[in-house]
Amino acid sequence: MSRAITNLTRIGLIDEVTAGTTPATPAMQTIRATSESFSVERQFTHSEEFNVASQVADQILIANRATGGFGCEWADGEVGIETILQSCLCGTWATDVLLAGITPKPPSIEVKYEAGTNDQYKIFTGMYGNELSLDFNAGSKITGSAAFMGMSSTYAAAGVTGGTYPAFGTEPVNTTCDMLLTSTGLVVDSVTKLTMKLNNSARAHQCLTSASPSAIARGTLQLGGDIELYLNTGVADWATKFLANSSFTLLATAGNTTIKKTTFEIPKAKFKNLTVVAQANDQDLMVRGQWEGFYDSTVGSALRVTRNVA
């Protein structure tokens, strides 16, 4: 009996035209994932009626839900990740620029576990991008994750009907050694850490006649993260921005290859917290800030993503 191992897991996705319906014979995109947590969920209840055996008679299905996500390492030109960004931002790529919007972009997602002649699959439809995170730490790979809320989920012995799959990407994984960080309003030459986290506050609509959600609604897009740097003379700018509740911009460009890099721009950010603490001898003094991104009327978004950057 062949037993599956995690190394051979494959995650595929395709944009849906109609929410909750996988397109026919789709040309699937793949994700270069390092982990996944997609969950086929069922919620059950049971009757509270009296019975002569004084035992629970059976369980009853009342909800079919789909949640979960994946972790990844950032690499240049990954089409699957560009689709995920579009879903999480509810926007559409236009001339290599993506802004946060209000139009849902749910993909269908398939997870394959290689098990010889008995491969196993998890299939999800109407998967709305709910959360997105990116982590830039000095001397490390650039990593990220995404989480979804969907309309249906199931286990299967076969994949999406008619689906075709590209070869896995071969572009080198990006590191923070190759990234570019710039700002208007802040000195950022000694930054050691930057995180970006996006949350759409998605929720499922449960209606009569079906155990599956009829739709997934999104709330207010919330954007924020952490930033850390060595204490130096430029920190005065950080303190001034924090105390005056003044805004600044952040631009982080990731990538190794010209015309394949990606820039994440927060055009209007503010500090919500800023701390400096001397904890013990023989340690570097670090400034740690928490920032929040806000809608910028000039850009038309709290976050602007630009792909294929030189």
Side-chain angles (χ1 to χ4, degrees):
M1 180 175 63
S2 177
R3 295 180 178 178
I5 60 174
T6 57
N7 306 50
L8 303 180
T9 300
R10 183 187 70 196
I11 300 175
L13 73 154
I14 185 67
D15 264 334
E16 297 176 349
V17 177
T18 302
T21 302
T22 304
T25 61
M28 304 290 280
Q29 301 164 358
T30 54
I31 298 294
R32 293 171 64 178
T34 56
S35 63
E36 64 91 10
S37 60
F38 291 104
S39 177
V40 176
E41 297 183 8
R42 297 291 186 270
Q43 184 177 349
F44 300 94
T45 188
H46 56 77
S47 172
E48 302 293 339
E49 66 186 359
F50 303 134
N51 70 74
V52 294
S54 189
Q55 298 172 47
V56 178
D58 202 354
Q59 66 179 19
I60 307 162
L61 175 68
I62 58 173
N64 166 14
R65 298 195 176 100
T67 60
F70 66 88
C72 67
E73 297 167 340
W74 192 265
D76 295 333
E78 287 295 310
V79 177
I81 293 297
E82 292 173 355
T83 298
I84 296 302
L85 290 173
Q86 189 172 252
S87 180
C88 289
L89 284 169
C90 294
T92 302
W93 288 101
T95 319
D96 289 334
V97 173
L98 177 64
L99 303 177
I102 58 173
T103 303
K105 301 282 185 179
S108 292
I109 295 176
E110 173 197 275
V111 181
K112 176 188 177 183
Y113 300 124
E114 178 68 46
T117 57
N118 296 299
D119 296 338
Q120 297 297 309
Y121 296 82
K122 296 187 295 191
I123 298 175
F124 305 84
T125 61
M127 293 294 278
Y128 289 73
N130 187 31
E131 298 178 24
L132 177 73
S133 71
L134 287 170
D135 295 286
F136 305 88
N137 290 285
S140 300
K141 295 173 289 188
I142 298 172
T143 60
S145 65
F148 302 80
M149 182 175 291
M151 297 175 67
S152 72
S153 61
T154 189
Y155 290 108
V160 171
T161 303
T164 57
Y165 304 83
F168 280 102
T170 58
E171 291 284 351
V173 171
N174 295 163
T175 71
T176 53
C177 302
D178 301 307
M179 73 175 289
L180 176 66
L181 180 64
T182 61
S183 173
T184 300
L186 290 183
V187 176
V188 292
D189 60 344
S190 299
V191 170
T192 63
K193 173 183 177 181
L194 174 66
T195 66
M196 298 183 189
K197 299 184 185 298
L198 176 152
N199 191 319
N200 283 312
S201 302
R203 59 194 183 276
H205 284 183
Q206 191 92 31
C207 297
L208 300 177
T209 74
S210 177
S212 298
S214 61
I216 304 295
R218 67 186 291 266
T220 300
L221 183 148
Q222 297 177 333
L223 178 67
D226 300 316
I227 189 167
E228 181 177 296
L229 87 162
Y230 292 107
L231 193 151
N232 57 42
T233 55
V235 170
D237 292 335
W238 291 45
T240 298
K241 293 292 183 185
F242 174 56
L243 295 173
N245 191 31
S246 298
S247 65
F248 53 90
T249 67
L250 284 173
L251 290 92
T253 299
N256 299 311
T257 309
T258 301
I259 313 301
K260 288 187 177 181
K261 299 178 182 180
T262 305
T263 295
F264 299 89
E265 177 186 357
I266 300 95
K268 183 180 179 182
K270 290 186 176 184
F271 284 120
K272 58 190 298 184
N273 191 26
L274 193 69
T275 60
V276 183
V277 177
Q279 294 181 323
N281 283 328
D282 301 322
Q283 294 185 1
D284 297 307
L285 274 171
M286 307 301 295
V287 182
R288 296 179 174 89
Q290 292 179 313
W291 60 270
E292 188 168 357
F294 301 92
Y295 176 79
D296 181 81
S297 58
T298 301
V299 172
S301 178
L303 174 64
R304 174 162 58 186
V305 185
T306 304
R307 65 185 178 186
N308 298 330
V309 176

